[in-house]
């Protein structure tokens, strides 16, 4: 029974009462038989004997707050009880409990020293203070009784400490996982907001530029803004639903939705897929999508109007994602909307999966981002010959 459990707390307050009643009535039964053997030298119980039997039970009630004091009082009362030559046997119930409790509460030295002193007293008592000297078997039995109590207590103490350590590790692991989930959620929100708000910004600037001279073209930009705002709300709702257990959601951040992503990016995008498309692990599926999304966001920020090629290769052991622009749009600037965490964030995504990401200017102009994301053996199916 573990401390802290409901059953433990229900039993603990009544234990002293149970022990007190047991020691009194069982000692009365033991007295009935021991008084009939004159060689034992027992005397009938008096009020003083009953009081000594109840001292141990009273000490048990205080063992949580004063474990060493309860141990000392109980063993002393038991020793005095024996010196008065009352019937013994049941009187040893309370010493078992207080010795056990002292070990569990961390007072191991006191428990072992007190038990040793008690054993020496019993040996001296049984050798010189009773009519017939006890045998070696009696002394061995007493030693075994005390050693068994101490050994079981030590075993239970070690087991309880291991359980407590395991629970602590589990709590730490739960906190670590919760922290990682919060970081993942923040990254997802960043990617969703950065892409769609950048797209809205670019299209709003285009609409303002064309509104007076080419209103029909401005209408297209405004339609893109409408769709982007709808998409960002949908994706944010999907991400935030992850915080609610059992919340219905239809994920949109996956490689199967790349065509939708490129179609509403506001850029001239060509999507090329090599290899046999197949279901991917959720983490790889989401990371590939977000890398393409962030790359398109960077093009919209830094080189709007450029032509973009998105290449996806399903290899047996990895997923390769590459996004290239020709640099034909506006000059790539050093500053942009928001912070400059796009490429570092993509690298972190790839590295978290054991992959890699490279980003930099292309020799012929423009910019390229390429990510290699490893696939587990179960996902990396071989291509047919």
């Amino acid at each position: 029974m573990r401390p802290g459990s409901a059953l433990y707390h229900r039993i603990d307050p009544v234990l002293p009462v149970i022990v007190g009643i047991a020691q009194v009535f069982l000692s009365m039964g033991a007295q009935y038989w021991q008084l009939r053997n004159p060689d034992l030298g027992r005397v009938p119980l008096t009020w003083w004997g009953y009081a000594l039997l109840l001292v141990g039970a009273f000490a048990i009630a205080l063992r949580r707050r004063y474990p060493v004091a309860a141990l000392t009082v109980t063993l002393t009362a038991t020793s005095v009880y024996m010196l008065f030559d009352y019937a013994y046997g049941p009187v040893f119930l309370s010493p078992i409990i207080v010795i056990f409790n002292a070990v569990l509460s961390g007072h191991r030295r006191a428990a072992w020293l007190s038990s040793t002193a008690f054993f020496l007293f019993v040996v001296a008592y049984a050798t010189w203070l009773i009519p017939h000297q006890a045998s070696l078997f009696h002394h061995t039995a007493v030693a075994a009784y005390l050693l068994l109590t101490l050994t079981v207590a030590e075993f239970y103490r070690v087991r309880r400490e291991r359980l407590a350590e395991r629970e602590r590790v589990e709590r730490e692991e739960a906190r670590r996982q919760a922290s990682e989930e919060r970081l993942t959620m923040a990254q997802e929100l960043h990617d969703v907001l950065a892409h769609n708000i950048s797209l809205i910004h670019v299209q709003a600037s285009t609409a303002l530029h064309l509104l007076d001279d080419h209103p029909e073209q401005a209408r297209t930009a405004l339609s893109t803004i409408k769709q982007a705002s709808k998409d960002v709300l949908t994706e944010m709702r999907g991400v935030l639903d992850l915080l609610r257990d059992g919340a219905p959601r239809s994920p949109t951040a996956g490689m199967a939705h790349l065509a939708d992503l490129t179609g509403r990016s506001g850029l001239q995008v060509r999507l090329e897929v090599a290899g046999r498309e197949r279901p991917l692990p959720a983490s790889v599926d989401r990371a590939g999508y977000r890398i393409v999304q962030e790359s398109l966001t960077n093009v919209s920020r830094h080189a709007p109007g450029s032509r973009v090629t998105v290449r996806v290769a399903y290899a047996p052991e990895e997923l390769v994602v590459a996004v290239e622009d020709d640099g034909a749009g506006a000059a790539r600037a050093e500053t942009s909307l928001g912070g400059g965490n796009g490429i570092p964030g993509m690298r972190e995504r790839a590295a978290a999966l054991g992959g890699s990401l490279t980003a930099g200017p292309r020799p012929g102009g423009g910019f390229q981002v390429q990510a290699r994301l490893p696939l587990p053996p179960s996902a990396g199916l071989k291509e047919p010959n």
Side-chain angles (χ1 to χ4, degrees):
M1 187 185 310
R2 294 175 57 192
S5 65
L7 182 59
Y8 179 88
H9 285 295
R10 285 198 298 268
I11 291 179
D12 194 60
V14 301
L15 182 60
V17 177
I18 295 174
V19 171
I21 294 174
Q23 289 195 154
V24 168
F25 284 95
L26 291 179
S27 293
M28 292 170 63
Q31 171 184 254
Y32 178 81
W33 296 105
Q34 293 180 26
L35 289 177
R36 281 162 172 70
N37 186 352
D39 293 339
L40 295 177
R42 301 295 173 223
V43 300
L45 281 167
T46 63
W47 69 268
W48 177 241
Y50 288 114
L52 289 172
L53 288 173
L54 294 176
V55 166
F58 175 76
I60 289 174
L62 302 177
R63 74 191 188 283
R64 300 296 178 197
R65 183 170 297 182
Y66 309 107
V68 176
L71 175 66
T72 304
V73 169
T74 300
L75 294 182
T76 302
T78 304
S79 301
V80 173
Y81 178 91
M82 294 175 63
L83 288 175
F84 276 90
D85 294 328
Y86 296 125
Y88 70 95
V91 71
F92 297 128
L93 180 59
S94 54
I96 293 176
I97 295 173
V98 293
I99 291 173
F100 198 92
N101 177 76
V103 173
L104 291 187
S105 62
H107 300 280
R108 300 171 58 211
R109 179 179 298 179
W112 282 88
L113 291 177
S114 298
S115 299
T116 302
F118 184 68
F119 169 72
L120 295 176
F121 165 79
V122 173
V123 170
Y125 169 79
T127 302
W128 294 295
L129 300 180
I130 59 176
H132 297 280
Q133 179 179 345
S135 65
L136 179 63
F137 175 79
H138 174 272
H139 303 332
T140 304
V142 173
Y145 159 84
L146 292 171
L147 283 174
L148 180 62
T149 301
L150 290 165
T151 301
V152 172
E154 292 285 2
F155 173 80
Y156 191 82
R157 177 189 62 82
V158 172
R159 179 175 178 272
R160 189 174 68 172
E161 289 177 354
R162 288 179 178 175
L163 289 175
E165 177 64 16
R166 183 186 304 172
E167 291 177 355
R168 185 192 68 79
V169 171
E170 290 175 351
R171 288 194 299 270
E172 290 294 330
E173 179 65 16
R175 282 195 291 267
R176 185 189 64 79
Q177 290 180 357
S179 178
E180 289 182 355
E181 289 174 0
R182 286 193 294 270
L183 289 175
T184 300
M185 198 69 61
Q187 191 174 38
E188 289 290 305
L189 287 173
H190 166 269
D191 292 344
V192 169
L193 292 172
H195 174 74
N196 287 282
I197 291 178
S198 295
L199 179 59
I200 290 171
H201 172 77
V202 171
Q203 294 299 323
S205 300
T206 301
L208 288 174
H209 180 71
L210 299 174
L211 187 60
D212 293 332
D213 298 331
H214 304 282
E216 68 285 352
Q217 297 181 21
R219 180 184 297 275
T220 302
L222 292 174
S223 298
T224 303
I225 291 173
K226 178 182 177 181
Q227 184 61 39
S229 61
K230 178 181 177 182
D231 291 339
V232 71
L233 291 174
T234 301
E235 289 204 52
M236 282 186 63
R237 187 178 299 113
V239 172
L240 294 176
D241 277 347
L242 294 173
L243 298 174
R244 298 195 297 269
D245 293 335
R249 52 186 179 271
S250 55
T252 59
M255 299 300 290
H257 300 275
L258 277 187
D260 295 336
L261 175 65
T262 57
R264 52 184 168 81
S265 65
L267 300 166
Q268 301 178 56
V269 182
R270 185 172 75 253
L271 177 61
E272 299 177 359
V273 179
R276 182 158 56 94
E277 296 185 49
R278 58 184 182 272
L280 300 171
S283 56
V284 176
D285 196 33
R286 185 171 60 249
Y289 179 93
R290 293 303 185 195
I291 288 171
V292 174
Q293 185 182 58
E294 182 64 28
S295 300
L296 295 178
T297 299
N298 288 340
V299 175
S300 296
R301 288 177 174 178
H302 305 298
S306 298
R307 290 183 294 275
V308 182
T309 301
V310 176
R311 294 188 176 91
V312 179
Y314 289 85
E317 297 180 354
E318 65 179 1
L319 175 71
V320 182
V321 176
V323 181
E324 304 173 352
D325 69 80
D326 60 7
R332 187 175 296 271
E334 293 298 326
T335 59
S336 62
L337 293 172
N341 295 321
I343 293 177
M346 289 189 287
R347 282 203 179 99
E348 289 176 4
R349 278 188 180 275
L353 298 173
S356 61
L357 183 139
T358 58
R362 299 173 60 205
F367 201 80
Q368 181 187 51
V369 174
Q370 185 180 76
R372 294 181 176 275
L373 307 176
L375 296 174
S378 59
L381 303 176
K382 293 184 177 180
E383 298 295 328
N385 294 328

